[in-house]
Amino acid sequence: MIDPSWNKEGIKVTCQDPCNLVRKGLGDGVADDLRFVIKQVVGEENFVDMWPNKSNNYCCGGGGGYLQSGFVEKRRAFGRIKFDQIQATDADIVVTPCHNCRSQITDIGQVYGGKYQAVHLWSLIVKAMVRKSTATPL
Amino acid sequence: MSQPIVIGKRKSRFKELAQAAIPGGGNLDLCLTCSSCVNGCPASGISDMDPRKFLRMVLLGLDEEVLQTPWIWWCSMCQRCKRACPMGVDIGALVFMARQQWSRENTPKGIQKSCDLHLEFGNSTGIRREDWVSLCADLVEETRQQEEDWKDLPAPMDKKGAAYYLNQNAKEPTVEPEEMIPLWKILHEVGIDWTYSSEQWDAVNYCMFSGDDRDWEAVVRRQSEIVDDLGCKTLINTE
């Protein structure tokens, strides 16, 4: 069972659409599923989408081997668009279902002075999960 | 300000090579030069290069420049340009083709090293088998002891016949192992019968990006053999 009441203070949440999952992978259907899950977990009113989104979303700059390639300045220049997109949502949390996105979005947040935190989807789900056996929020 | 392209006398080979290799018959000639690709590309303008300019250089036969520009490593092959293109020109595939032409020695060292480690150790950060096994065992034991509600939490390793094979981005056990625990909790709560492999468990494949198809295939093939050996019906890729 999922209970979004942990988010009483109305922490605002947005999400990154990983290129390999959405545009290059399963398409907008999986992007819609991602948003459905996040809304259930954080409360629908606390989700704010970035623009553009889903298959039209920008790559964060963490993919294609970028994080390992050693081109740090180029990678951060690439990520500037993503940073501005996130800032425009005013979100406190960016859900990053891909680890490379998480590393890159965390890095550009620190470099460009963002206040947000990038988190795994599963870490957020656990916050709202109520175990069948205990029926109490964890 | 973007500089004009200067053409000298030269012989072109890359364009033909690329058109033969890119799916859909190689649609490079369809470019309308509309620059939809440029406007939607975060790599546009990084060191005086952009997707349209790269494509035009290929079409003009500027092999030397095309095969030497490091911009192909500054493009993440995200394919937003292909999506924005009214003619569906696959510039990402073209960039990948150019990566394939780079020698192993010149491929960015970090990418090549991650690929090499994956081939040697079964994961891209080079964690040894016994360390991976004991890390998971220690993490799950700590959770069971410290969290009253999760005394029954499993983290199965090499469990034959499990319904699901689970892999994990190697950065997680390397830099933030505690981040794997929430995933285990969710799988357990919803009643998923899963297992890790002690041998081949990385969700990423940097050999995809180095441009060497044989390495790429070797990683995918080894992982699929492991899934079959374990008798798992479904692979959950967490990356």
Side-chain angles (χ1 to χ4, degrees):
Chain A
M1 199 179 105
I2 290 293
D3 177 5
S5 65
W6 66 273
N7 193 10
K8 287 191 192 76
E9 290 172 15
I11 295 169
K12 287 174 77 175
V13 180
T14 188
C15 72
Q16 166 67 346
D17 296 288
C19 305
N20 282 305
L21 177 68
V22 179
R23 181 168 46 253
K24 296 171 73 174
L26 302 174
D28 282 353
V30 76
D32 289 333
D33 290 348
L34 173 61
R35 284 159 178 75
F36 172 80
V37 171
I38 294 170
K39 286 173 184 173
Q40 297 298 307
V41 165
V42 306
E44 187 154 0
E45 67 282 9
N46 297 315
F47 177 75
V48 50
D49 222 335
M50 56 176 81
W51 183 264
N53 55 43
K54 302 180 189 173
S55 291
N56 284 323
N57 211 332
Y58 290 112
C59 172
C60 64
Y66 232 138
L67 283 160
Q68 303 299 101
S69 68
F71 298 115
V72 177
E73 279 177 34
K74 308 293 182 190
R75 171 168 60 72
R76 287 173 176 163
F78 187 113
R80 183 72 212 197
I81 290 181
K82 179 56 58 189
F83 176 77
D84 291 342
Q85 241 188 323
I86 295 168
Q87 288 300 94
T89 66
D90 202 29
D92 306 292
I93 287 177
V94 185
V95 176
T96 46
C98 158
H99 192 116
N100 284 338
C101 299
R102 180 161 183 253
S103 298
Q104 166 74 347
I105 289 174
T106 299
D107 183 64
I108 55 176
Q110 287 165 355
V111 168
Y112 294 129
K115 65 177 176 87
Y116 63 79
Q117 193 184 354
V119 303
H120 291 295
L121 176 60
W122 57 61
S123 307
L124 211 54
I125 293 174
V126 159
K127 277 187 181 296
M129 203 165 77
V130 182
R131 288 201 75 178
K132 291 192 283 284
S133 54
T134 57
T136 53
L138 296 166
Chain B
M1 183 69 185
S2 191
Q3 297 302 307
I5 298 166
V6 180
I7 312 172
K9 282 186 184 171
R10 61 194 71 227
K11 196 175 173 199
S12 164
R13 206 181 126 257
F14 184 66
K15 182 186 165 190
E16 285 72 28
L17 203 65
Q19 286 190 311
I22 292 173
N27 52 356
L28 310 179
D29 292 324
L30 299 179
C31 172
L32 304 172
T33 70
C34 70
S35 88
S36 295
C37 54
V38 181
N39 296 327
C41 170
S44 282
I46 297 187
S47 294
D48 195 36
M49 184 63 84
D50 61 56
R52 181 177 62 169
K53 189 168 180 179
F54 184 73
L55 177 66
R56 301 315 300 174
M57 289 169 77
V58 172
L59 290 173
L60 289 167
L62 303 181
D63 282 19
E64 203 176 315
E65 291 82 346
V66 162
L67 296 177
Q68 280 179 5
T69 175
W71 184 81
I72 57 163
W73 304 102
W74 306 337
C75 154
S76 67
M77 303 185 292
C78 78
Q79 290 194 356
R80 198 173 187 279
C81 53
K82 181 185 175 188
R83 183 174 171 83
C85 177
M87 305 306 286
V89 178
D90 196 345
I91 300 174
L94 193 61
V95 166
F96 184 75
M97 280 287 304
R99 288 191 184 194
Q100 286 178 314
Q101 305 302 312
W102 277 47
S103 70
R104 206 178 174 86
E105 293 69 37
N106 288 333
T107 298
K109 287 187 175 49
I111 296 178
Q112 193 57 54
K113 188 182 172 196
S114 296
C115 173
D116 291 344
L117 287 171
H118 204 149
L119 293 166
E120 186 179 352
F121 292 97
N123 68 87
S124 56
T125 54
I127 298 177
R128 287 170 195 282
R129 187 173 187 158
E130 58 272 24
D131 292 338
W132 163 244
V133 171
S134 64
L135 173 72
C136 292
D138 291 351
L139 276 175
V140 79
E141 188 52 38
E142 273 172 35
T143 309
R144 286 177 192 151
Q145 284 180 10
Q146 290 169 9
E147 299 184 38
E148 187 69 23
D149 285 324
W150 295 102
K151 286 187 182 310
D152 57 343
L153 185 69
M157 189 66 71
D158 296 326
K159 183 182 171 189
K160 289 265 181 190
Y164 293 86
Y165 160 97
L166 181 77
N167 60 25
Q168 200 82 49
N169 184 314
K171 288 213 193 74
E172 279 138 21
T174 306
V175 299
E176 47 173 28
E178 68 287 352
E179 288 290 341
M180 301 193 293
I181 299 167
L183 178 59
W184 301 348
K185 288 178 175 175
I186 294 165
L187 293 171
H188 184 50
E189 181 59 15
V190 298
I192 296 285
D193 174 25
W194 67 278
T195 187
Y196 283 132
S197 158
S198 61
E199 188 186 327
Q200 191 81 214
W201 51 268
D202 196 343
V204 303
N205 184 353
Y206 278 101
C207 304
M208 263 176 77
F209 306 127
S210 63
D212 189 324
D213 287 351
R214 286 165 305 177
D215 288 350
W216 177 358
E217 182 185 337
V219 168
V220 175
R221 190 169 291 283
R222 186 67 195 125
Q223 183 163 239
S224 61
E225 285 167 0
I226 292 278
V227 176
D228 285 346
D229 288 349
L230 287 168
C232 300
K233 291 276 187 293
T234 306
L235 180 154
I236 306 178
N237 200 75
T238 58
E239 176 55 22

